[in-house]
Amino acid sequence: MSIEDRKVEHIKIAAREDAEEGSTLFDEVQLIHNAMPGFDYDEVDSSIQLFGKTLSTPLLVGAITGGTELSGKINTMFAEAVERFGLGMYVGSQRIAIEKPETRWTFSVIKEKAPTALKIANIGAPQISRLDEGKVLEWVNNAVDMIDASAVAIHLNPAQEVFQPEGEPWFRGVVEKVRYISRSINKPVVVKEVGNGISREVAIALAGSGIAAIDVGGVGGTSFIKIEAERWHRNDVGELSKVFQGWGIPTAISICEVKSAFRGIILASGGIRSGLDGAKALSLGASAFSMSRPFLVSALQGRDQLLQLMERTIKEFKISMFLTGSRQVSDLANAPLVLGPTIINWLSQRGIRCR
């Protein structure tokens, strides 16, 4: 199957309700209501600075797609929406555009439609692991120039690669390549997972690499184990996927795992489905959050549906700030909260303090 066909398949399967798996455990994070915030709702300031850009709300469109006609249409809608609301966005893996320049427009349209928005380029760890240093920098610079990116993400997806029919589970030397990229380019580097979470141990390995941020990409949203198993249409792979159902670290816990070992920026993704979830993520230690599947589904329904969802998510986040007495986004880090037993037990056994 061609890489273009695979991209279309990913979109179609990811848009289905059964593409999700596991729990983020945000249901075990209870923010405490503040009945006397001490300021008016219209005084809430939800803006932040991230990678040299001002965001009206610490919300990003997650890494989703690129490389096909359908992807180009979706990315156009995303770009127009984030430019309108003053948000940011990742792009999907840019490998296809680097290897097949005729697909480059499906990414570069973002540069045209979102000239002032925060844009994050995206390349895969398995691919950079097999490239020499000169070729790695060529890929990174190509990806950055393609969308006029303010930062570049390197995605870690070992579970997806193991289950993918065309998978490339190549991760030898990735930390060294990440370190080389971080020290060789003048853009912030983000290392991100795609749905199985990042542990304290991985955060420790990345802490000395010079990267600016870790995106936890935890369990609770779209499962690429399920998506790739569905693409196989084989019973043996389907049975394997059932064994690994829910594999990984729930998003709420992964934030705590990373925070315990990494002093840089933490980005939250993986099953975040509302502005309230985003506020909970920031209360645990994240600086911003992203959503992928909800925006994909709404974009497939049309531009108006995407804009409505984005506007609602922004409002949900601001209401969450107001009802916790958080006048500025940074105040969420000190908003009182109660954690549920699963989170408490996990952190206790791992010897981690989340706040």
Side-chain angles (χ1 to χ4, degrees):
M1 176 179 288
S2 71
I3 190 170
E4 291 94 337
D5 290 339
R6 185 170 83 225
K7 295 290 185 183
V8 172
E9 246 190 348
H10 280 161
I11 291 172
K12 290 179 178 178
I13 298 173
R16 291 172 11 189
E17 289 185 9
D18 61 356
E20 296 188 337
E21 188 172 79
S23 171
T24 62
L25 291 183
F26 282 125
D27 60 330
E28 287 201 7
V29 180
Q30 181 65 53
L31 296 174
I32 304 303
H33 175 61
N34 186 334
M36 195 167 59
F39 52 87
D40 298 340
Y41 175 71
D42 61 8
E43 295 179 84
V44 171
D45 180 6
S46 63
S47 67
I48 65 163
Q49 296 291 315
L50 183 64
F51 305 140
K53 294 284 188 176
T54 299
L55 304 185
S56 68
T57 304
L59 171 62
L60 309 173
V61 174
I64 297 177
T65 192
T68 68
E69 185 79 23
L70 176 59
S71 300
K73 293 177 180 178
I74 292 170
N75 279 337
T76 297
M77 282 191 280
F78 287 156
E80 290 174 344
V82 299
E83 184 74 11
R84 174 173 175 168
F85 289 113
L87 306 177
M89 67 178 289
Y90 288 94
V91 293
S93 173
Q94 291 169 269
R95 173 188 182 179
I96 186 172
I98 294 170
E99 295 182 343
K100 298 189 174 187
E102 66 271 18
T103 68
R104 183 183 176 98
W105 74 269
T106 66
F107 294 94
S108 59
V109 67
I110 296 164
K111 178 165 55 176
E112 174 191 347
K113 300 295 183 179
T116 68
L118 170 64
K119 300 174 287 292
I120 304 178
N122 186 4
I123 58 176
Q127 287 72 57
I128 67 169
S129 74
R130 294 300 175 97
L131 299 174
D132 62 40
E133 291 183 347
K135 199 69 174 178
V136 163
L137 287 186
E138 182 182 321
W139 270 49
V140 171
N141 290 328
N142 195 340
V144 169
D145 292 344
M146 197 182 303
I147 65 168
D148 189 24
S150 295
V152 58
I154 300 169
H155 64 264
L156 310 176
N157 60 337
Q160 179 186 13
E161 296 290 353
V162 165
F163 279 88
Q164 188 177 99
E166 313 85 351
E168 299 173 341
W170 307 330
F171 285 81
R172 182 186 299 128
V174 167
V175 171
E176 290 75 17
K177 287 291 173 59
V178 168
R179 183 180 295 113
Y180 176 72
I181 292 169
S182 299
R183 295 175 180 177
S184 302
I185 67 171
N186 62 351
K187 300 287 184 182
V189 173
V190 182
V191 172
K192 69 184 298 296
E193 240 284 355
V194 302
N196 299 101
I198 290 184
S199 66
R200 173 175 58 184
E201 288 78 9
V202 171
I204 289 171
L206 291 169
S209 65
I211 65 171
I214 293 176
D215 186 328
V216 302
V219 168
T222 303
S223 167
F224 278 95
I225 291 177
K226 289 190 71 174
I227 287 175
E228 299 300 349
E230 173 66 21
R231 294 184 60 235
W232 275 92
H233 300 297
R234 276 173 39 188
N235 289 335
D236 58 334
V237 179
E239 291 301 315
L240 271 175
S241 72
K242 291 177 183 176
V243 171
F244 289 90
Q245 183 175 352
W247 174 265
I249 307 169
T251 300
I253 290 176
S254 190
I255 294 169
C256 297
E257 290 258 349
V258 172
K259 186 182 177 185
S260 71
F262 182 70
R263 296 295 170 262
I265 296 167
I266 299 173
L267 304 174
S269 65
I272 294 177
R273 295 296 175 256
S274 68
L276 175 56
D277 282 349
K280 290 179 178 182
L282 269 64
S283 76
L284 293 173
S287 295
F289 66 100
S290 70
M291 291 167 47
S292 297
R293 183 177 174 274
F295 290 144
L296 171 62
V297 172
S298 62
L300 291 172
Q301 293 170 345
R303 177 178 178 274
D304 289 346
Q305 285 78 4
L306 174 63
L307 295 176
Q308 288 169 14
L309 175 59
M310 211 166 272
E311 188 170 26
R312 188 179 78 228
T313 304
I314 292 168
K315 189 168 186 178
E316 289 167 349
F317 182 79
K318 292 189 72 170
I319 290 172
S320 301
M321 288 182 62
F322 183 60
L323 296 182
T324 56
S326 302
R327 189 169 182 170
Q328 298 178 329
V329 172
S330 59
D331 295 336
L332 281 168
N334 298 312
L337 55 75
V338 173
L339 302 178
T342 306
I343 295 178
I344 291 173
N345 185 53
W346 181 302
L347 298 181
S348 175
Q349 292 195 44
R350 295 277 285 158
I352 292 173
R353 288 176 59 90
C354 199
R355 300 188 67 178

